[in-house]
Amino acid sequence: MTKKYDFLVIGSGIAGMSFALKVARHGSVALICKTTLEEANTALAQGGVASVTNLEVDDFDKHIHDTMVAGDFLSDPEAVRKVVTEAPGQIRQLIEWGVNFDKKEDGSFDLHREGGHSEFRILHHADNTGFEIQESLIAAVRANPDIDVYENHFAIEIITQHHLGKVVTRRTPDITCYGAYVLNPEGGVDTFLAKVTLMATGGVGAVYQTTTNPLVATGDGIAMVYRAKGTVQDMEFIQFHPTALFHPGDRPSFLITEAMRGYGAILRNRRGERFMEKYDSRLELAPRDVVARAIDSEMKLHGDDHVYLDVTHKDPDETRRHFPNIYKKCLSLGIDITKDYIPVAPAAHYLCGGIKVDGNGESSIKRLYAVGECSCTGLHGGNRLASNSLIEAVVYADAAAKHAIGEVGHLSFRTDVPEWNDEGTRHPEEMVLITQSIREVNQIMGTYVGIVRSNLRLDRAWNRLDILYEETEKLFKCSKASREICELRNIINVGYLIMRQAKERKESRGLHYTLDYPPAQ
């Protein structure tokens, strides 16, 4: 079946939904959601949204400086200034959509401070800010009659000249997106034609075994754009959150927000010893890459599988008030955080690279935009400053919406796009092979392409992944389209991109730390 929309939005987190809400007045909108609107990485973001609001002590230059330092000065200064200066306006937009940020008795925002920030500038809603934003945007989207929501639909490929029988290479100057092939819940593949397509598919955490991301975060948009010969950049910069709750068997891992360290929590090893002073003068408030490597080092030094986060010295009532969901989750596991240490370990958390875009959110493929975690705006550079991601998503969704609205009136639908061709294919007889291959990718990435890397580890990962790539491509060509086979294909593509770009960076910089190129002392 063929469907036509002015705007096709693939992904339903804060980036995709805010874009959809802004363009809906200017044309028809299809919002493609892999599972349900509720299941997005946005909903798991506990910490908050970074924005300069307290002008008595804070200003744009401080926020810009903190972002550049965290990014190891690899960030694009124009992207940084854009996000920081436009953040307050987008905060007002979120509030108009119904987002409730916590406030003090005097009506001012109750601001948190997180690692890498020089001031208190994190707006939050208790310790579940992302959930509050997601719920507010879902309500706004469902109430909008101009947005058609397609839940449990899975985008397989974006449609380009390649599907019209033309040869497309990375040197083709005018690769153009005309929509996407989308797997529907009945197992058929629909053709969604669009004048403008937005990729907002989120991150890649599920490429790793241990991750804080929902398991839908398989890098689908990045893989689709890469296969369509689009530009993908900075994939080596994978941020591992230092403090995911250590509870073997949980996938995803429950996140212990950075705000808890800003609140005064102390990291201790299994012997109860505080250790951050050995690694950085900023102690627990050092940027995430520093803290994650310190924890990784401490675990390897003692042969441990976790460390502890200690907040027992803080006022119990205040702790329960600030972190009600963390308190409840830990208590369900027999851990009273006001009395007991919290077992934590690093977990894959955020991708700083992705689909390369310009200031308008446009990718290298015409008529295709990308926003949110799947995009690479240049804001994060080598490492994301805490709580900069949610605000980046809405700032660039706004930029992409404004630009796309100006373009859509001059564009038309492509009429010669063929239907998805699955003639001669069949359903894989052994789904266990796909499941096992996904586990193998997870193991390869966690073992060889984690927090600390080396040429030897990357080469081993490369060789092992190459075998899985060949097997999967053969299976895909003879199989009916399914979410399982497509996700396997996508995580292999993403794993390859992370490895390749890690191998190309001959230095330790930001989140990419390699034993073969140790940083200068």
Side-chain angles (χ1 to χ4, degrees), residues 38-91:
E38 286 75 17
E39 188 172 2
N41 215 9
T42 298
L44 299 183
Q46 293 177 347
V49 186
S51 177
V52 173
T53 56
N54 184 359
L55 298 178
E56 291 183 7
V57 297
D58 203 4
D59 58 48
F60 290 151
D61 287 339
K62 287 183 180 180
H63 192 180
I64 289 169
H65 178 73
D66 292 344
T67 301
M68 294 298 297
V69 170
D72 213 349
F73 295 95
L74 287 171
S75 301
D76 178 350
E78 289 186 16
V80 174
R81 181 164 292 280
K82 176 182 179 65
V83 171
V84 169
T85 58
E86 295 182 20
Q90 294 308 311
I91 293 295

Side-chain angles (χ1 to χ4, degrees), residues 407-421:
E407 293 291 309
V408 73
H410 311 299
L411 303 174
S412 58
F413 296 105
R414 192 84 191 215
T415 59
D416 55 347
V417 174
E419 296 290 310
W420 179 262
N421 183 10

Side-chain angles (χ1 to χ4, degrees), residues 89-156:
Q90 294 308 311
I91 293 295
R92 289 191 292 272
Q93 175 70 84
L94 288 173
I95 292 171
E96 288 176 16
W97 282 332
V99 177
N100 292 306
F101 293 111
D102 288 356
K103 293 185 177 181
K104 299 178 182 177
E105 291 182 1
D106 63 5
S108 62
F109 290 118
D110 177 32
L111 302 175
H112 280 172
R113 180 184 172 195
E114 298 181 349
H117 287 273
S118 57
E119 300 291 348
F120 286 76
R121 66 167 70 97
I122 313 301
L123 292 87
H124 63 95
H125 178 87
D127 60 350
N128 64 342
T129 308
F131 181 79
E132 166 68 13
I133 292 173
Q134 188 78 0
E135 288 294 291
S136 300
L137 291 180
I138 287 172
V141 164
R142 292 206 188 278
N144 194 310
D146 298 317
I147 301 174
D148 290 343
V149 178
Y150 290 88
E151 292 183 299
N152 298 301
H153 281 67
F154 184 88
I156 299 173

Side-chain angles (χ1 to χ4, degrees), residues 70-76 234 237 352-353 378-384 511:
D72 213 349
F73 295 95
L74 287 171
S75 301
D76 178 350
D234 292 348
F237 297 126
C352 292
L379 172 69
H380 306 303
N383 183 19
R384 176 182 71 115
L511 296 164

Side-chain angles (χ1 to χ4, degrees), residues 273-308:
E273 303 159 341
R274 190 176 188 178
F275 58 83
M276 276 308 299
E277 64 267 20
K278 295 192 296 184
Y279 300 95
D280 196 281
S281 61
R282 292 165 290 187
L283 304 176
E284 282 79 10
L285 287 178
R288 289 178 179 179
D289 62 323
V290 175
V291 178
R293 281 197 298 273
I295 293 173
D296 184 70
S297 173
E298 205 70 15
M299 286 162 53
K300 288 176 177 173
L301 184 66
H302 298 290
D304 296 332
D305 51 11
H306 68 278
V307 296
Y308 291 114

Side-chain angles (χ1 to χ4, degrees), residues 143-187:
N144 194 310
D146 298 317
I147 301 174
D148 290 343
V149 178
Y150 290 88
E151 292 183 299
N152 298 301
H153 281 67
F154 184 88
I156 299 173
E157 297 286 12
I158 59 171
I159 299 167
T160 66
Q161 295 97 314
H162 166 73
H163 298 95
L164 308 179
K166 298 181 181 179
V167 176
V168 177
T169 71
R170 299 201 184 277
R171 295 186 179 182
T172 302
D174 60 345
I175 304 174
T176 305
C177 178
Y178 304 111
Y181 291 116
V182 178
L183 181 68
N184 64 41
E186 289 73 43

Side-chain angles (χ1 to χ4, degrees), residues 5 48 60 74 122 179 253 267 277 279 309 326 420 434 460:
Y5 286 89
F60 290 151
L74 287 171
I122 313 301
S253 300
L267 281 164
E277 64 267 20
Y279 300 95
L309 195 62
I326 293 174
W420 179 262
I434 295 175
R460 284 190 176 185

